[in-house]
């Protein structure tokens, strides 16, 4: 019987049906007869002589008799094999409970008791002539003959078992098919039970479920097991995935300790959105490196499950995103790129295709600075527009209720950890265990004495290692892993070097552990460094030790992280950034000092670092040990007993810059058009929720920020004027067409005498007239229009008028579309305008200066002699660029010689040009190592500069796209941005765009003949492992999968373009044809 229920019901029913069939198949009689009866029946039905058997049938009977011990005593239940007795029991049970009991059923039971000779397993014919066995089922039927069963039995007593089988098969081959009601009833009962179970499962799920695995196909479960080794979910994960908020698509915040398995729940929710609900999703991650790692890890899932993955980090990301019709897309983005992506979706009315936004490390909303403000702004816009589910995950938050109110979300929290964590504090030679159950308020110490350090240290060793790091580490490695967190980057390197030297002297046997793997790691580091390697790593890797901090290049960090995860390295000395980055757990975590930099560690940082202790699936427990001096012990006790720091809104950072950016983009997207709407909008912010705690007046801050935007000429007030049209409706009158952009009339109440000074302030000295005309301010004012003047403020009466609304100027639109800091927009405009008048294209130096990030030039320590030497390497045209920018060679020379200089220069421009000289070296394909050594900086800073410059270049490109006067820069910056991201020859760019492929690997692929994205996508991972030196099998699979996903994404994009191009001409053609007819 086939179920008529919905998808899951039918699948479970089929499974139960197969199980019922398998139950009958357990009998020796059934299994043998099923294999051969169909052939025998076909033969006998077409044979003229029914008393003769073929050789094949004789072979079957002989083998059948042999399998069943040749013969059985007649009518003896005690000698019937156990499997047959089980079948008899099932038949009798079905028979006794059935209302369809017939003589056929009784005969069947009796015939099985009497022996094998009176039972035939026969395929039941269907009305269309097909066999019932086609569907995987068959029926056990009593033998049917012309006479009674007793007569038949008596007439065959003298025959052997072989002859009786022959005789019964001949009779039954031509006998009509009967129906065994007992077996049918048994099968139907099983199917009905399966239907009920499927209905129960369906009730637990949703209408969009497409499979049994949390609504997903079983293939997802297999992929998790294959690629992640996940066979079973934790109890809290199953509970969270069954929450009503999850099933009904409501906003959710779930909070657990570090390493609790939060990411897996987020990935299941994302897959449900993509595969079941057929909508796009955004995954917001805090750092570029984590975005890249997640893209690599999810590409295999995207390939198998037929969805797309796009990376939005650094200079990568398409604005606006392509709205695809066939496949759903997962956007994996940093905080900044996610905000731009949300803005773009709102502007292009694409938000209806976005079903889910997942935020990892939700507590970063209270990080302070621009990143926290950007995250709050993106979430606020999603809440305001509605229709998109927001899911946030984070470690334990002290004031999670504030964020719950802001996000209008439900909260799920749990203290689960996959492994038990034991915390220790070491003070001199004593080790104390942290007893979190004790509270200082009761006068009981949270630190309980555990043991005294008794390592066999001699006098020299005590001097070299006073904190007993070597002894603490050797209790764990090399069989287990260990992380040592250090307060500074330099201390990381020193500790790694110290431990390596001590191990060579006292534990030299460690050099023989995994010698081959460590040698390969050194070769890869050497290759990725273009023949150079850090001398510290070169010394420490032999012992399984490495350091990890921002001073490493991205390639080095990835190699170190992979080697640690695979067990090649067993000890990492690292800074606190590792705890907030990729997941690298350890058996033991040691905090070298209770300081991060020069500041005392806070509770959140402590929990993040200690949370890395314990490896799920490997260890049953983890340990953390904080080393402190006796003088800092009271502070440590306070640290351990205090609650986590509250998470506060970051919108007020830098005197309200977050509020200004939020208002500018919201007005530019036309989410807000009046002061009343703005004030209501600001009441939805996290800042408003926490206003009482922070002691701020949100309305006053909002009005002040809006006035500042008006003064910066990023926003303007416009009056709606009557406009005669076909329907007589009221429309906004646009008057400024000087730049090819529609500009509304500007309404103001200030005197016209201050216009020039505001232009000068906004766009820089000597550029007041240009800025006024080009940045979106009326140079040709229509009759009756009053322009906004310098120093104007928002008039309460006029701003509340229904005829007055707020709009962004051209400069304001370029600022928020380019994600430019509001305080830097006029400065960027001034730089571009000045360069437009005298741009030097004899080299790329001038363009490189224009895309050098402003924020990295502040607080930069410059070695003036290096600066002077680098200036001397510039040619005449490059020196002209420096002069045009405002960099004086004489000033640099005097600073290098240590002389005092009274010459007035812009120190900020000097510092920025120093960074430009580094970019110029990288542009000429000098290695990061070479540039770092030449400019006396660590290679991590140089690579970060390159990444930041590429990202800022993308922002400048979008900024110029919004201002027609900068049409030349639109063309110049197009390919320039892509090439700047990698600073390599053009032929390698296509390979470097593949997630997981860095410069060294790209060169290997290129030299092996894989020179395009298509080549890599068509490659066999096993061949890559064979043909490319030191290519791990896992990396090969990831690279090929990533290339295939990128190829699919490009194909989908082309399909959308083709459909859009074909659809419009066909409509126009049809219209013109009808008109002509």
């Amino acid at each position: 019987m086939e179920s008529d229920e919905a998808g899951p019901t039918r699948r479970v029913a089929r499974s139960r049906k197969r199980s019922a069939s398998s139950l009958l198949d357990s009998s020796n009689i059934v299994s043998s007869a099923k294999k051969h009866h169909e052939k025998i029946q076909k033969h006998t039905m077409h044979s003229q002589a029914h008393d003769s058997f073929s050789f094949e049938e004789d072979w079957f009977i002989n083998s059948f008799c042999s399998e069943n011990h040749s013969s059985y005593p007649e009518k003896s239940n005690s000698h019937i094999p156990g499997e047959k007795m089980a079948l008899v029991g099932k038949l009798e049970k079905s028979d006794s409970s059935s209302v369809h009991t017939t003589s056929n059923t009784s005969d069947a039971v009796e015939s099985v008791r009497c022996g094998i000779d009176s039972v035939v397993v026969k395929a039941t014919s269907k009305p269309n002539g097909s066999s019932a066995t086609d569907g995987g089922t068959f029926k056990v039927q009593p033998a049917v003959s012309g006479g009674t069963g007793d007569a038949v039995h008596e007439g065959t007593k003298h025959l052997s078992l072989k002859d009786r089988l022959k005789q019964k098969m001949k009779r039954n081959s031509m006998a009509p098919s009967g129906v065994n009601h007992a077996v049918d009833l048994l099968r139907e009962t099983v199917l009905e039970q399966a239907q009920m179970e499927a209905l129960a499962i369906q009730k637990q799920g949703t209408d969009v479920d497409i499979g049994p695995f949390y609504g997903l196909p079983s293939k997802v479960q297999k992929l998790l097991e294959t690629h992640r080794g996940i066979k079973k979910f934790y109890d809290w994960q199953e509970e969270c995935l069954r929450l009503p908020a999850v099933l009904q698509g409501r906003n959710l915040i779930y909070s657990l300790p570090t390493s609790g398995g939060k990411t897996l729940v987020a990935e299941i929710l994302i897959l449900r959105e993509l595969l079941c609900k057929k909508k796009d999703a955004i995954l917001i991650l805090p750092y570029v490196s984590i975005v890249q790692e997640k893209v690599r890890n999810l590409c295999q899932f995207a390939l198998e499950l037929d969805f797309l993955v796009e990376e939005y980090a650094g200079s990568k990301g398409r604005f606006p995103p392509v709205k695809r019709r066939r496949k759903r897309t997962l956007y994996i983005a940093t905080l900044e790129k996610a905000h731009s992506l949300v803005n773009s979706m709102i502007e292009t009315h694409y938000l209806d295709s976005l079903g889910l936004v997942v935020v990892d490390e939700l507590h970063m909303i209270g990080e302070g600075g621009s990143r926290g403000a950007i995250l709050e702004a993106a979430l606020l816009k999603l809440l305001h527009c509605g229709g998109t589910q927001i899911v946030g995950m984070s470690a334990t938050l002290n004031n999670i209720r504030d964020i719950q109110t802001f996000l209008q979300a439900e909260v799920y929290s749990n203290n689960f950890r996959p492994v038990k964590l034991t915390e220790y504090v070491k003070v001199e030679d004593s080790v104390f265990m942290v007893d979190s159950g004790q509270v200082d308020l009761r006068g009981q110490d949270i630190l309980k004495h555990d043991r005294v350090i008794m390592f066999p240290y001699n006098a020299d060793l005590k001097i070299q290692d006073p904190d007993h790091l070597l002894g603490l580490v050797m209790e764990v490695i090399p069989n287990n892993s260990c992380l040592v967190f250090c307060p500074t980057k330099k201390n990381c390197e020193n500790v790694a070097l110290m431990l390596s030297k001590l191990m060579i002297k006292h534990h030299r046997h460690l050099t023989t552990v995994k010698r081959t793997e460590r040698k390969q790691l050194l070769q890869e580091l050497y290759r990725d460094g273009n023949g150079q390697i850090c001398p510290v790593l070169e010394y420490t890797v032999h012992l399984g030790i490495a350091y990890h901090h921002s001073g490493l290049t991205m390639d080095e960090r990835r190699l170190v992280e992979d080697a640690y995860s695979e067990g090649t390295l067993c000890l990492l000395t690292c800074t606190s950034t590792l705890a907030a980055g990729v997941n690298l757990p350890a058996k033991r975590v040691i905090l070298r000092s209770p300081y991060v930099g020069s500041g005392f560690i806070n509770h959140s940082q402590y929990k993040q670092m200690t949370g890395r202790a314990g490896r799920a699936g490997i260890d049953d427990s983890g340990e953390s040990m904080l080393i402190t001096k006796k003088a800092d012990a009271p502070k440590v006790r306070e640290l351990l007993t205090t609650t986590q720091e509250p998470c506060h809104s970051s919108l007020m950072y830098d005197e309200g810059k977050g509020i200004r950016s939020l208002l500018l983009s919201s007005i530019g997207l036309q989410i807000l058009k009046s002061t009343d709407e703005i004030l209501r909008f600001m009441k939805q912010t996290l800042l408003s929720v926490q206003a009482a705690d922070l002691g701020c007046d949100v309305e006053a801050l909002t009005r002040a920020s809006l006035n500042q935007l008006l003064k910066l000429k990023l926003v303007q007030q416009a009056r709606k004027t009557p406009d005669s049209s076909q329907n007589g409706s009221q429309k906004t009158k646009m008057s400024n067409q000087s730049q090819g952009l529609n500009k509304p009339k500007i309404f103001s109440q200030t005197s016209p005498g201050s216009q020039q000074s505001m232009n000068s302030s906004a766009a820089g000295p000597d550029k007041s007239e240009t800025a006024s005309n080009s940045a979106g301010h009326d140079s040709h004012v229509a009759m009756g229009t009053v322009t906004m003047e310098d120093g104007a403020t928002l008039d309460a009466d006029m701003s509340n008028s229904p005829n007055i609304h707020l709009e962004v100027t051209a400069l304001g639109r370029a600022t928020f579309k380019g994600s430019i800091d509001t305080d830097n927009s006029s400065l960027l405009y001034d730089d571009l305008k000045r360069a437009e008048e005298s741009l030097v294209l004899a080299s790329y130096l001038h363009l490189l200066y224009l895309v050098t990030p402003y924020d990295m030039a502040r607080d930069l320590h410059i070695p003036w002699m290096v600066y002077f030497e680098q200036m001397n390497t510039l040619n005449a045209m490059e020196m002209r660029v420096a002069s045009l920018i405002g960099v004086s060679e004489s000033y640099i020379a005097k600073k290098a010689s240590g002389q005092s200089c009274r010459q007035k220069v812009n120190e900020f421009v000097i510092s920025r040009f120093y960074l430009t000289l580094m970019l110029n070296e990288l542009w000429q394909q000098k290695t990061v190592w070479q540039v770092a050594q030449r400019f006396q900086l660590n290679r991590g800073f140089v690579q970060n500069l390159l990444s930041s410059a590429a990202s800022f270049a993308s922002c400048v490109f979008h900024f110029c796209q919004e201002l027609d006067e900068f049409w030349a820069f639109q063309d110049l910056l197009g390919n320039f941005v892509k090439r700047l991201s990698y600073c390599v020859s053009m032929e390698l760019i296509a390979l470097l765009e593949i997630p997981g492929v860095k410069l060294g690997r790209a060169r290997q692929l290129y030299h092996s003949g894989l020179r395009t994205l298509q080549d890599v996508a068509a490659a066999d991972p096993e061949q890559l492992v064979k043909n490319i030196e030191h290519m791990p099998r896992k990396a090969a699979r990831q690279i090929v999968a990533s290339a295939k996903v990128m190829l699919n994404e490009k194909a989908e994009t082309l399909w959308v373009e083709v459909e859009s191009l074909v659809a419009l001409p066909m409509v126009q053609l049809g219209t013109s044809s009808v008109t002509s007819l």
Side-chain angles (χ1 to χ4, degrees):
M1 183 179 75
E2 184 71 19
S3 171
D4 293 329
E5 297 296 332
T9 305
R10 288 197 297 269
R11 282 187 287 274
V12 175
R14 293 192 192 102
S15 176
R16 298 304 188 190
K17 188 174 181 180
R18 288 194 294 270
S19 299
S21 178
S22 300
L23 179 65
L24 296 177
D25 199 25
S26 63
S27 170
N28 287 340
I29 301 174
V30 171
S31 61
S32 301
K34 183 182 177 183
K35 293 178 182 177
H36 302 282
H37 176 70
E38 189 172 350
K39 292 183 180 180
I40 297 172
Q41 183 187 28
K42 185 182 295 185
H43 176 80
T44 54
M45 290 179 64
H46 293 85
S47 176
Q48 296 296 328
H50 294 290
D51 57 342
S52 62
F53 281 79
S54 69
F55 169 79
E56 181 180 0
E57 290 159 350
D58 282 329
W59 172 86
F60 160 64
I61 293 171
N62 288 329
S63 62
F64 188 90
C65 294
S66 175
E67 289 175 3
N68 292 279
H69 312 291
S70 298
S71 62
Y72 299 102
E74 298 180 22
K75 296 188 178 182
S76 175
N77 290 346
S78 61
H79 294 283
I80 297 176
E83 292 180 348
K84 296 178 188 173
M85 284 301 298
L87 179 60
V88 171
K90 291 183 178 68
L91 290 171
E92 286 179 329
K93 182 177 179 180
S94 301
D95 183 46
S96 63
S97 61
S98 174
V99 296
H100 303 290
T101 305
T102 62
S103 59
N104 284 342
T105 305
S106 301
D107 290 342
V109 176
E110 183 63 26
S111 61
V112 172
R113 279 206 180 102
C114 293
I116 193 171
D117 59 300
S118 58
V119 173
V120 174
V121 180
K122 178 176 177 63
T124 304
S125 300
K126 294 183 179 180
N128 61 1
S130 62
S131 172
T133 55
D134 295 342
T137 62
F138 52 89
K139 304 183 187 299
V140 180
Q141 302 172 0
V144 180
S145 63
T148 64
D150 290 339
V152 172
H153 181 70
E154 291 295 330
T156 58
K157 271 186 177 182
H158 63 282
L159 298 176
S160 65
L161 176 61
K162 180 176 179 179
D163 292 336
R164 278 181 282 166
L165 276 172
K166 288 182 178 181
Q167 192 177 71
K168 296 303 179 183
M169 286 185 176
K170 282 193 296 183
R171 293 194 187 102
N172 284 287
S173 64
M174 296 183 295
S177 300
V179 179
N180 190 317
H181 297 287
V183 176
D184 280 350
L185 182 63
L186 176 64
R187 185 172 62 255
E188 291 173 5
T189 302
V190 173
L191 292 177
E192 288 175 3
Q193 183 180 359
Q195 293 170 19
M196 294 176 63
E197 292 177 1
L199 285 172
I201 294 173
Q202 191 177 31
K203 288 179 181 179
Q204 294 178 358
T206 64
D207 294 336
V208 298
D209 289 355
I210 60 174
F213 184 66
Y214 303 101
L216 294 165
S218 299
K219 188 176 184 180
V220 176
Q221 187 175 12
K222 295 178 181 177
L223 288 171
L224 287 173
E225 184 173 350
T226 302
H227 297 288
R228 305 277 183 83
I230 299 173
K231 298 181 180 179
K232 187 179 183 301
F233 281 20
Y234 298 130
D235 291 342
W236 83 264
Q237 291 172 329
E238 295 187 359
E239 182 182 358
C240 186
L241 288 169
R242 302 293 185 192
L243 290 174
V246 172
L247 299 177
Q248 297 170 16
R250 300 198 300 270
N251 295 346
L252 174 70
I253 301 171
Y254 62 100
S255 174
L256 285 96
T258 304
S259 303
K262 298 185 291 292
T263 303
L264 180 59
V265 171
E267 290 176 349
I268 294 296
L269 294 178
I270 289 171
L271 292 177
R272 280 176 54 84
E273 198 69 33
L274 297 170
L275 304 181
C276 302
K277 299 181 183 180
K278 303 296 182 182
K279 285 197 170 187
D280 297 335
I282 299 177
L283 174 59
I284 303 177
L285 300 170
Y287 304 111
V288 174
S289 59
I290 305 178
V291 169
Q292 293 172 341
E293 180 193 19
K294 186 60 67 176
V295 169
R296 291 197 306 269
N297 291 340
L298 287 180
C299 275
Q300 190 66 47
F301 285 78
L303 190 63
E304 296 284 347
L305 300 173
D306 199 29
F307 64 89
L308 301 175
V309 175
E310 289 193 30
E311 178 183 341
Y312 277 72
S315 62
K316 291 186 177 180
R318 187 197 309 263
F319 298 101
V322 178
K323 191 172 183 179
R324 298 181 176 86
R325 304 174 186 178
R326 292 180 174 84
K327 295 183 179 181
R328 297 294 92 195
T329 305
L330 169 60
Y331 305 98
I332 304 179
T334 57
L335 302 180
E336 296 83 1
K337 287 291 184 177
H339 183 223
S340 298
L341 187 59
V342 169
N343 286 344
S344 183
M345 287 182 169
I346 293 173
E347 185 178 26
T348 56
H349 307 289
Y350 181 24
L351 210 57
D352 57 338
S353 299
L354 180 66
L356 175 67
V357 173
V358 176
V359 183
D360 192 8
E361 307 294 350
L362 182 61
H363 61 268
M364 294 195 72
I365 199 171
E367 184 186 59
S370 62
R371 290 170 62 80
I374 283 172
L375 179 57
E376 183 174 348
L379 296 177
L380 180 61
K381 291 169 188 174
L382 290 170
L383 289 168
H384 183 78
C385 295
T388 302
Q389 182 184 15
I390 299 174
V391 174
M393 50 180 168
S394 177
T396 305
L397 295 172
N398 186 32
N399 58 335
I400 196 171
R401 297 303 170 190
D402 290 347
I403 302 178
Q404 177 186 10
T405 303
F406 165 58
L407 292 180
Q408 306 163 30
E410 295 188 18
V411 173
Y412 176 86
S413 60
N414 198 305
N415 291 325
F416 170 82
R417 276 188 57 88
V419 295
K420 181 183 177 182
L421 172 62
T422 306
E423 300 175 39
Y424 296 97
V425 174
K426 178 181 173 295
V427 183
E428 296 181 345
D429 292 342
S430 298
V431 176
F432 299 86
M433 185 177 69
V434 179
D435 186 359
S436 57
Q438 299 294 337
V439 182
D440 266 342
L441 294 177
R442 297 186 310 197
Q444 296 177 343
D445 197 348
I446 196 172
L447 300 178
K448 301 297 181 183
H449 189 272
D450 184 70
R451 62 184 170 121
V452 176
I453 295 294
M454 299 292 289
F455 297 129
Y457 274 28
N458 56 36
D460 290 339
L461 192 54
K462 286 181 180 180
I463 295 173
Q464 295 176 20
D465 183 22
D467 292 325
H468 305 95
L469 279 177
L470 179 63
L472 294 173
V473 164
M474 290 306 302
E475 288 182 335
V476 179
I477 67 169
N479 296 327
N480 292 296
S481 57
C482 183
L483 293 175
V484 179
F485 284 99
C486 303
T488 64
K489 290 183 286 189
K490 188 61 177 176
N491 191 242
C492 283
E493 299 179 30
N494 291 338
V495 170
L497 204 56
M498 178 199 73
L499 289 174
S500 299
K501 291 178 179 179
L502 294 178
M503 286 179 186
I504 288 179
K505 186 175 181 180
H506 300 281
H507 302 280
R508 196 173 185 84
H509 65 279
L510 293 178
T511 58
T512 63
V513 178
K514 297 194 174 184
R515 177 178 292 179
T516 303
E517 292 88 342
R518 292 169 183 174
K519 186 176 180 180
Q520 290 179 354
L521 173 60
L522 286 170
Q523 290 173 344
E524 290 191 46
L525 288 168
Y526 185 81
R527 187 196 67 240
D528 284 352
N530 293 312
Q532 292 180 297
I533 187 172
C534 172
V536 176
L537 290 177
E538 188 176 22
Y539 187 87
T540 63
V541 166
H542 291 289
L543 293 128
I545 302 175
Y547 66 87
H548 184 288
H549 57 62
S550 60
L552 294 173
T553 66
M554 295 179 66
D555 293 351
E556 288 173 325
R557 267 180 279 176
R558 184 170 60 83
L559 286 172
V560 168
E561 290 164 2
D562 291 346
Y564 178 82
S565 299
E566 295 165 1
T568 303
L569 298 175
C570 56
L571 173 63
L572 291 184
T573 59
C574 49
T575 56
S576 59
T577 54
L578 182 139
V582 293
N583 186 21
L584 296 176
K587 173 68 175 178
R588 175 177 288 178
V589 169
I590 300 174
L591 279 66
R592 175 73 175 77
S593 168
Y595 289 86
V596 173
S598 59
F600 197 82
I601 189 173
N602 61 42
H603 191 272
S604 176
Q605 293 169 329
Y606 173 78
K607 285 298 182 182
Q608 271 194 330
M609 288 187 273
T610 58
R612 296 300 179 193
R615 299 167 297 174
I618 301 175
D619 302 323
D620 56 2
S621 65
E623 300 174 356
S624 70
M625 185 167 293
L626 171 58
I627 301 175
T628 183
K629 296 178 180 179
K630 186 175 290 186
D632 290 326
K635 291 183 179 180
V636 170
R637 283 187 173 88
E638 184 180 356
L639 169 72
L640 297 173
T641 54
T642 56
T643 57
Q644 189 137 349
E645 295 79 12
C647 182
H648 288 146
S649 171
S650 302
L651 288 179
M652 290 196 302
Y653 88 96
D654 202 0
E655 299 180 353
K657 186 181 290 187
I659 299 177
R660 295 195 295 274
S661 298
L662 171 61
L663 295 182
L664 177 63
S665 60
S666 299
I667 295 171
L669 294 170
Q670 299 183 358
I671 296 176
L672 310 174
K673 296 182 180 179
S674 68
T675 307
D676 285 342
E677 290 180 355
I678 289 173
L679 294 176
R680 288 196 298 269
F681 180 74
M682 289 300 295
K683 289 181 180 179
Q684 304 174 36
T685 61
L686 178 61
L687 177 64
S688 179
V689 173
Q690 299 174 333
D693 295 335
L694 298 175
C696 63
D697 186 341
V698 176
E699 181 175 341
L701 289 171
T702 302
R703 290 186 179 276
S705 298
L706 190 55
N707 281 326
Q708 196 160 0
L709 291 175
L710 289 167
K711 290 179 181 180
L712 291 173
K713 297 197 178 297
L714 301 176
V715 172
Q716 61 190 11
Q717 290 176 303
R719 173 188 291 167
K720 292 182 180 179
T721 58
D723 182 25
S724 59
S725 59
Q726 294 181 356
N727 56 9
S729 62
Q730 298 289 323
K731 293 187 177 180
T732 303
K733 199 83 163 183
M734 301 297 180
S735 63
N736 186 0
Q737 303 292 335
S738 62
Q739 303 304 326
L741 297 173
N742 293 331
K743 298 289 171 278
K745 292 181 179 180
I746 306 170
F747 191 85
S748 178
Q749 69 279 9
T750 56
S751 63
S754 56
Q755 177 71 31
Q756 185 175 354
S757 62
M758 181 61 212
N759 290 332
S760 178
S761 172
D766 304 324
K767 297 294 174 186
S768 58
E769 181 180 353
T770 305
S772 175
N773 293 340
S774 304
H777 308 298
D778 271 331
S779 57
H780 306 289
V781 183
M783 184 179 296
T785 300
V786 183
T787 58
M788 176 67 71
E789 301 297 344
D790 187 25
T793 57
L794 190 67
D795 186 284
D797 296 333
M798 302 178 76
S799 63
N800 292 329
S801 170
N803 294 326
I804 300 296
H805 66 279
L806 295 166
E807 292 183 344
V808 294
T809 62
L811 179 61
R813 176 170 297 278
T815 300
F816 92 82
K817 291 288 286 290
S819 300
I820 304 296
D821 190 315
T822 54
D823 292 350
N824 291 334
S825 60
S826 58
L827 180 60
L828 175 61
Y829 180 86
D830 182 46
D831 286 340
L832 291 170
K833 200 64 185 176
R834 185 182 291 111
E836 188 180 40
E837 296 174 357
S838 55
L839 183 65
V840 178
L841 294 178
S843 72
Y844 286 95
L845 187 62
H846 207 159
L847 282 177
L848 288 170
Y849 175 77
L850 293 174
V851 299
T852 301
Y854 292 113
D855 56 343
M856 295 192 71
R858 298 183 175 93
D859 303 323
L860 179 66
H861 175 71
I862 299 176
W864 294 105
M865 184 56 69
V866 175
Y867 202 156
F868 178 72
E869 291 173 354
Q870 195 63 29
M871 288 286 290
N872 288 335
T873 64
L874 301 180
N875 58 37
M877 294 304 298
E878 290 171 336
M879 287 299 295
R880 184 167 181 267
V881 171
S883 177
L884 289 171
I885 291 172
V887 177
S888 170
E889 184 180 9
S890 61
Y891 176 82
I892 304 298
K894 288 182 179 181
K895 295 290 287 186
S897 62
Q899 301 177 21
S900 60
C901 184
R902 297 181 181 179
Q903 184 179 355
K904 292 183 178 180
V905 296
N906 190 329
E907 292 282 356
F908 179 74
V909 172
I910 300 291
S911 298
R912 191 176 177 215
F913 189 69
Y914 184 69
L915 296 178
T916 303
L917 294 176
M918 296 185 207
L919 292 174
N920 189 47
E921 293 292 310
L922 293 170
W923 181 266
Q924 296 174 14
Q925 300 186 33
K926 299 288 179 59
T927 67
V928 172
W929 280 89
Q930 292 170 328
V931 176
Q933 290 173 357
R934 176 171 294 183
F935 288 86
Q936 298 182 5
L937 293 166
N938 65 65
R939 55 195 182 279
F941 177 87
V942 175
Q943 190 171 62
N944 184 41
L945 170 64
L946 178 60
S947 177
S948 299
S951 180
F952 185 63
S954 177
C955 294
V956 174
F957 174 64
H958 291 297
F959 181 90
C960 293
Q961 283 185 315
E962 299 301 319
L963 297 171
D964 287 348
E965 59 191 299
F966 294 141
W967 59 269
F969 290 110
Q970 296 175 23
D971 294 335
L972 287 171
L973 292 174
N975 292 325
F976 176 81
V977 172
K978 182 179 290 188
R979 185 176 171 188
L980 180 62
S981 301
Y982 307 107
C983 284
V984 295
S985 53
M986 292 299 293
E987 63 266 15
L988 293 179
I989 291 180
L991 297 175
L992 286 168
E993 289 183 332
I994 302 174
V997 175
K998 301 300 180 184
L999 182 57
R1001 191 71 73 196
R1003 286 174 176 155
Q1004 284 184 313
L1005 293 171
Y1006 188 84
H1007 293 317
S1008 67
L1010 304 177
R1011 302 186 175 183
T1012 65
L1013 180 64
Q1014 294 87 338
D1015 293 340
V1016 179
D1020 181 8
E1022 294 300 325
Q1023 290 298 318
L1024 289 182
V1025 174
K1026 293 179 181 179
N1027 298 336
I1028 296 180
E1029 190 178 6
H1030 307 309
M1031 169 74 82
R1033 187 168 279 99
K1034 179 181 177 181
R1037 287 196 296 265
Q1038 284 183 340
I1039 289 172
V1040 172
S1042 299
K1044 289 180 179 179
V1045 170
M1046 285 190 64
L1047 204 60
N1048 289 339
E1049 184 267 329
K1050 290 180 181 294
E1052 285 293 316
T1053 302
L1054 290 175
W1055 270 114
V1056 172
E1057 293 179 1
V1058 168
E1059 289 175 354
S1060 62
L1061 289 173
V1062 170
L1064 185 59
M1066 289 182 65
V1067 172
Q1068 292 177 343
L1069 179 61
T1071 304
S1072 61
S1073 299
V1074 172
T1075 304
S1076 62
L1077 289 174

